[in-house]
Amino acid sequence: NNNNNNNNNNNAGRNSNRGGGGRGGRGRGGGRSRGGGRGGGGSQEKKIKNKDNNNNKDSKSNGDSNQPASVEQNNDNNQQANAQKNYDKTNKPKGKKQQQQQPKNKNRQKGGSGDGGNQHAKKYDKSSQQKHNNNNNEVMAPSVPPSQPQQTSDIHYGRGQTITILHVAEKPSIAQAIAQGLCTNGNRNTRSSKLPVHEFYSSESFPKAPHAASVQHRVTSVAGHVFAIEFGAEYQSWDSVDPAELFTAKTLRKAQQGSVVKHLQVESKSVDFIVLWLDCDREGENICFEVLSICQGLMKSGGGAGETSNYDRVYRAYFSAINPSDIQKAYQKLGKPDRNQALSVDARQELDLKVGVAFSRFQTRYFQGRYGDLDSTVLSYGPCQTPTLGFCVQRHIDIETFKPEPYWTLELAMIKRGRALKAQWDGGRSFNKNKIQKLVDSALETGPVAKVSDVIKKEKKQGRPVPLNTVALLKACSKALGIGPHAAMQTAERLYLSGYLSYPRTESSAYPKSFDIKGMLQQQTTDSRWGSYVQQLLRSGNVTKARGGVDMGDHPPITPCREARVGELSGEMARVYELVVRHCIASVSQDAVWQSTRVNFVIESLGDKGTFTLRGKELVSPGFLTVLLHKEYGDDNDRVATSDDVEDEEEGVIPEYVKGELIPLSAPKSESKVNVATAGSVRGNLNIKERMTTAPGYLTESELIGMMEKYGIGTDASIPTHIENIQKRKYVTLESGRRLIPAKLGLVLVQGYHLIDSSLVLPQVRADIETQCGKIAKGQASMEEVISKAIKLFGEKFDYFVKSIDKMDVLFGASFSKLEEIGKPFTRCGLTRRYLSYIPGPPVRLYNKYTETVYPLPLGGDVKQWTGRHCPVEGCNFELCLYAVGAPPRTFPLCPRCFNDPDYALDMEEIPSDPVDKEDEGKERKIQKMAGRNLCLECPLPDHHPLIDELTVSPDPNSDGVLILDPRLGPKWKINSTREPTIVHLPQQVSKVTVLDRRDEVLGVHMMKIEFKEGESPLPDSNILTCCFPNEERLQNMVRVHHGSERTRAKGGRGRGGRGRGRGRGGRGRGGRR
């Protein structure tokens, strides 16, 4: 880096006469610099040289964080490590200068700019540099918003040549849509690889290199996040690592799939430009820099001395839908990726990992070692998940502590023109029955008559709904369609990927000025359900501006992108699509108009306590209600635009009343009697109604979403995942009416947090962190500072939590059974000769109540008793079990002590995982993986264990494991693979199989003695065959080999060799299953 800085200083000197400016490329003097970036003209040469020399020391220690380290192209073994190293450098947090002058540092090459056009140079160089000199630690937003169209500094790049552009999308389906949108002639080729690659040529100019002769487009994708944040191997053990150490532990980013890294390396080699088409949210911005850490150093060099960065030719597409018109618009207005938003995701991921895992490990180990009937594998804590659970528990507490009270109210019941009507008492309610009774007695003693004091009729408008954002969609789906938020979000994403809806993750509830409302409506004119209404709306010119809402500037509200005819979609996709379309049409329709009637009655003898009101309404103009049946689809908060509550008025027209009209009253009569009124008569009763106060109901999903939004818990994209997680972890159950009812474990956890530190479960702390992450995204806060403060805060809370855990333990002791109190005798301990109790869990384990020792059992299969057999390992002597796993099941011997002995402990790094796109689901998998360290989908003992060795009859040709005789023996004799889901069925003619002590001299496996049934032997003169199984061709021709499946199979993970427990040749696994 010192050399780079010196080269830049020399370049500044050489270019000063040409108007260049040191590290800047396009100076104000009009020439171009080889230094890259923008300079300040030749006159500033000396100042820039001095500034660069002063920064040499910092550059030496920290490097240029904007430049990713070069990727080793020819070393496949190191590709993940190199990609990780590049990501850390590409996405490394920066001080103010690096934040706001990122493109300048990125382009130490001919004509580098990368942060907008020349028109911003003066403002950019002077103002931002001056602020930087005042405070080196201040973080600033870039002077040119990344989403604004920006231009390559060298407008003549690729003149007369063919340039290659690599387009990278977030998912294969989006890559296909982008290729279709950009390839106007339809002549494209698709290569099949790990991820499809669409290639085509275009004679149309590329906006960032308009003088190129032609353009080769290469469109591919990733599959969500390329990297995942996790702890290093030294912090993976739950037993040997103090959870408090995790707060200061270093994290690393590991490639989720090495094949994706290699794919990007191959496709990005020597390309001229990279255009990033990742989802336009914070997660998408984060993936942008993950992709750049792999690809940027492999691009074709743009010239200049010692350069490793090509950021000037990296662009970002900002789009909200994947139809061809939107793709073309985004292609013509390419901006830059937003590093600040990417850093905000890094901050949130690191905080969630450290805080969540530290608390989860501690409380899981503590309570699962004491109680046996906890209905959860992991007692997890999450900065967002736990406050979400807290809302549900608090409502439950409100319900349980609620004490119903009786109250009384007056009701003026009338019969007019054969209709029974009820006017409500304006006095509300009273908790004193005697007081109400006195009012009735007084009214009936002196002139029992009610007088019409006023009749008011006026038109009221019911406001159309505001445009639909993510939270409103989730609430509407739960309330109106009965679709949970997690399923609703997945359905909306599928509709987006299929081109039916715009991007479903948005905070905006107002259409931007550029949104083509009429174009959206025009697409729906032929639909049989609402087409005629839309046609009339367009013809009449009554398309109105949407009401209220806020344009957050991220994405427009959720809208349909194309028509879906009846029957084209099915199931939840059809229902969600219809909800969105009806809502969008309604949002630009006319308001509904109601004729409201209010009749006021007065009983003069009661004074101001004798007023009653009768309300009614009649629909005058349905407006948006024609297409949106608000009781079915609408959101409560969006129904009424006026201050008057139309919804409280009785539906229908009430009879005519005249001011001054008198209604004679009578004493209340028994409800068992029926009053018969003749037409035209008016009569009334003054009744006392007794009612009870009622407790609030349990939170519905819709209400919980609203509370999470109000208190800033999670984002619009992560809210469904948090609600899903508290259900999956059995903290709450989903009951009828989409109500969330806390389970016993959820109640105990939340109440325990309140006993120790209420801030662990209250929303304020998490909301503050979300606010700080938002400031990082806007360039208003430093990532290091936000993480440091949050880690210090939660570290102190964790220390106090550990010291005070006895308070929570009291609640657990009152709600759950201790290990010594549950379980049934299962097998004998080889040390004490006492029976071990079987604890069904989760997790499943054996417990010695005399020594208080716990022996976790393998997860993923079934553990059965195998009475009377003992482990042959010296000093063990534990009674054995059988472990069956897979479909059809393979059965293996299991020794509880040997399975848990450190010499045979499972390697945490080789637990299989299945990375997914959603970051919160990835975190859930990691927590499950680490807690379920005994997940075992193969033989639970190593191949060299005496139990396995004495049953081994052959090496496994398909893995580094071995084949053993099924320990259940006959009558159906089988041979199982220890590492693959393979079963060898011996012929039905076999009556008995014995594994001999004698071994084959070449293979080292045991010989077999096979006895055939009388008269069914394939041997000419004997019923007994002694052989080495892999060498006996006659037997090989008689067996049947079945390749089954494992009950739980994750992609990748351990492969051939298992966990290195083969006969001296396993070692670490070599990738995924074949």
Side-chain angles (χ1 to χ4, degrees), residues 488-798:
M489 196 73 245
Q490 290 182 326
T491 303
E493 287 177 346
R494 289 198 300 270
L495 289 167
Y496 163 67
L497 295 176
S498 301
Y500 289 101
L501 295 184
S502 62
Y503 191 61
R505 294 193 180 103
T506 176
E507 298 179 12
S508 295
S509 55
Y511 299 122
K513 294 181 180 179
S514 59
F515 184 74
D516 185 6
I517 294 177
K518 292 186 177 180
M520 181 268 290
L521 293 174
Q522 193 65 44
Q523 295 176 342
Q524 303 297 329
T525 53
T526 59
D527 192 281
S528 59
R529 292 162 291 184
W530 48 74
S532 59
Y533 173 82
V534 175
Q535 292 176 20
Q536 182 182 359
L537 187 66
L538 291 171
R539 283 196 304 267
S540 64
N542 288 331
V543 178
T544 59
K545 181 180 178 181
R547 175 177 66 88
V550 179
D551 184 1
M552 301 298 292
D554 53 349
H555 290 279
I558 305 169
T559 59
C561 294
R562 66 185 176 98
E563 180 188 10
R565 297 182 181 277
V566 177
E568 187 173 333
L569 298 173
S570 60
E572 292 183 351
M573 291 183 68
R575 298 172 67 206
V576 173
Y577 177 81
E578 181 174 351
L579 184 149
V580 172
V581 174
R582 288 185 179 275
H583 193 105
C584 289
I585 297 173
S587 69
V588 293
S589 297
Q590 296 289 311
D591 291 341
V593 180
W594 296 86
Q595 175 72 46
S596 170
T597 303
R598 186 176 69 193
V599 182
N600 296 330
F601 299 88
V602 61
I603 302 177
E604 295 179 347
S605 60
L606 300 181
D608 59 356
K609 296 293 185 181
T611 59
F612 297 81
T613 302
L614 176 65
R615 291 185 176 91
K617 64 177 181 178
E618 179 183 6
L619 186 62
V620 176
S621 174
F624 74 92
L625 294 179
T626 305
V627 66
L628 177 67
L629 305 177
H630 67 280
K631 290 184 178 179
E632 181 180 354
Y633 287 106
D635 184 84
D636 290 338
N637 297 328
D638 296 334
R639 292 180 186 171
V640 184
T642 66
S643 59
D644 298 302
D645 193 356
V646 177
E647 295 300 316
D648 286 343
E649 300 178 354
E650 292 186 16
E651 184 77 36
V653 183
I654 61 177
E656 287 290 334
Y657 284 89
V658 180
K659 185 176 180 179
E661 183 178 351
L662 300 178
I663 295 94
L665 301 179
S666 60
K669 296 184 179 181
S670 172
E671 294 183 359
S672 61
K673 296 181 180 179
V674 178
N675 293 323
V676 179
T678 60
S681 65
V682 182
R683 54 195 298 181
N685 291 330
L686 190 60
N687 302 321
I688 299 176
K689 292 293 183 180
E690 180 179 352
R691 296 187 175 94
M692 299 290 290
T693 57
T694 57
Y698 282 100
L699 282 180
T700 64
E701 287 174 328
S702 177
E703 292 172 328
L704 180 57
I705 292 169
M707 296 185 72
M708 294 175 71
E709 181 189 30
K710 176 181 178 181
Y711 290 101
I713 301 301
T715 64
D716 54 352
S718 64
I719 283 175
T721 302
H722 299 316
I723 297 176
E724 178 77 4
N725 283 342
I726 63 174
Q727 297 178 56
K728 288 195 300 185
R729 294 165 189 171
K730 300 182 179 179
Y731 294 162
V732 301
T733 58
L734 182 65
E735 303 294 342
S736 60
R738 312 301 298 183
R739 297 173 302 145
L740 295 167
I741 301 179
K744 182 168 62 174
L745 181 57
L747 287 169
V748 172
L749 280 173
V750 170
Q751 290 176 318
Y753 293 137
H754 279 299
L755 281 177
I756 299 174
D757 183 357
S758 291
S759 66
L760 291 175
V761 71
L762 294 177
Q764 187 57 49
V765 173
R766 179 60 190 189
D768 291 342
I769 291 177
E770 289 287 355
T771 300
Q772 293 301 314
C773 288
K775 289 184 178 180
I776 296 175
K778 297 175 182 178
Q780 298 172 354
S782 163
M783 186 182 88
E784 300 101 320
E785 183 178 349
V786 170
I787 291 178
S788 176
K789 289 182 179 179
I791 289 297
K792 181 181 178 181
L793 172 67
F794 276 101
E796 293 172 351
K797 291 181 178 296
F798 179 80

Side-chain angles (χ1 to χ4, degrees), residues 20-78:
R23 300 178 72 185
R26 189 179 291 268
R28 293 198 304 273
R32 289 197 307 272
S33 164
R34 297 180 184 274
R38 284 190 300 273
S43 62
Q44 297 192 15
E45 170 201 352
K46 184 175 180 179
K47 180 170 67 176
I48 295 175
K49 285 181 64 176
N50 293 336
K51 182 173 63 180
D52 287 348
N53 287 328
N54 291 335
N55 288 333
N56 279 345
K57 183 176 180 179
D58 293 336
S59 298
K60 183 175 182 179
S61 60
N62 299 324
D64 188 345
S65 62
N66 284 312
Q67 295 187 9
S70 60
V71 181
E72 295 295 333
Q73 302 175 39
N74 300 319
N75 192 340
D76 291 341
N77 294 331
N78 291 329

